[in-house]
């Protein structure tokens, strides 16, 4: 039979994120071994949740409700379509629903002159991961998230015509 789980720890996650710094450290871990494949001059920043407009633009989420921390890793040069988002949701917030909403709402063409070819999103425990870039890079970064996370929830994938 199908067991419907309530919100909370339906996924056994290896991730233990207690702060925005932990999310930034997770980004660093996800990039280990991929240095050659990643865009140059990537910068990881913690999003200011009080800046609702920027938060919505970056994540596709219409509200910061249930979001504890969020970090973004993007190149300083906007000529490369690459964005990695890690979001920690509050206790009782459905992380997979957040992943789904982000995957559906985030703008894969937000760089104007370039478009992200592939988008992947999922959750592990209370952490949501969304990465969008060219197909090869997006998959490598996403696979590293899954390897570090251990178990993930439902996965979302999107392809954009370039």
């Amino acid at each position: 039979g199908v067991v419907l789980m309530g919100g909370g720890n339906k996924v056994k996650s290896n991730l233990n994120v207690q702060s925005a710094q932990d999310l930034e450290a997770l980004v660093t871990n996800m990039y280990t071994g991929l240095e050659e494949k990643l865009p140059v001059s990537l910068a990881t920043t913690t999003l200011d949740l009080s800046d609702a407009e920027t938060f919505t633009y970056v994540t596709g989420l219409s509200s910061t409700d249930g979001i504890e921390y969020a970090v973004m890793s993007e190149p300083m040069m906007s000529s490369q379509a690459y964005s990695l988002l890690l979001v920690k949701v509050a206790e009782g917030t459905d992380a997979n629903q957040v992943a789904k909403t982000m995957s559906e709402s985030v703008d894969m063409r937000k760089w104007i002159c370039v478009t992200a070819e592939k988008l992947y999103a999922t959750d592990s425990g209370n952490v949501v991961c969304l990465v969008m870039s060219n197909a090869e890079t997006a998959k490598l970064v996403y696979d590293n998230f899954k390897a570090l996370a251990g178990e993930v929830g439902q996965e979302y994938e999107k392809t954009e015509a370039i």
Side-chain angles (χ1 to χ4, degrees):
V2 176
V3 181
L4 290 173
M5 306 285 285
N9 303 333
K10 53 189 175 298
V11 181
K12 287 192 199 69
S13 177
N14 296 332
L15 306 176
N16 181 16
V17 172
Q18 305 297 335
S19 65
Q21 284 75 18
D22 289 348
L23 283 181
E24 292 190 7
L26 178 54
V27 170
T28 304
N29 289 340
M30 287 168 63
Y31 287 168
T32 304
L34 299 184
E35 291 79 9
E36 299 293 307
K37 302 285 187 185
L38 294 168
V40 290
S41 75
L42 281 176
T44 303
T45 49
T46 298
L47 297 177
D48 178 0
L49 299 186
S50 66
D51 181 353
E53 196 175 329
T54 301
F55 181 80
T56 297
Y57 171 72
V58 167
T59 64
L61 296 170
S62 56
S63 142
T64 56
D65 291 351
I67 307 298
E68 285 189 357
Y69 315 106
V71 301
M72 169 181 79
S73 178
E74 290 192 351
M76 295 185 224
M77 307 290 292
S78 62
S79 59
Q80 293 165 298
Y82 177 89
S83 182
L84 167 67
L85 296 165
L86 293 178
V87 175
K88 179 177 187 283
V89 300
E91 197 64 48
T93 299
D94 183 341
N96 195 260
Q97 190 55 51
V98 172
K100 183 174 193 289
T101 303
M102 285 172 61
S103 73
E104 290 168 355
S105 308
V106 76
D107 183 3
M108 292 174 76
R109 298 176 173 272
K110 68 177 186 172
W111 296 273
I112 302 165
C113 52
V114 287
T115 299
E117 183 181 7
K118 259 317 208 192
L119 176 152
Y120 296 99
T122 191
D123 65 292
S124 181
N126 52 15
V127 176
V128 174
C129 169
L130 180 147
V131 60
M132 54 182 178
S133 185
N134 65 59
E136 184 194 19
T137 305
K139 178 123 181 54
L140 287 167
V141 173
Y142 183 65
D143 285 347
N144 271 8
F145 174 79
K146 291 197 291 185
L148 290 164
E151 283 186 30
V152 296
Q154 193 176 339
E155 301 183 49
Y156 304 97
E157 189 181 320
K158 216 157 97 175
T159 305
E160 187 72 77
I162 294 189

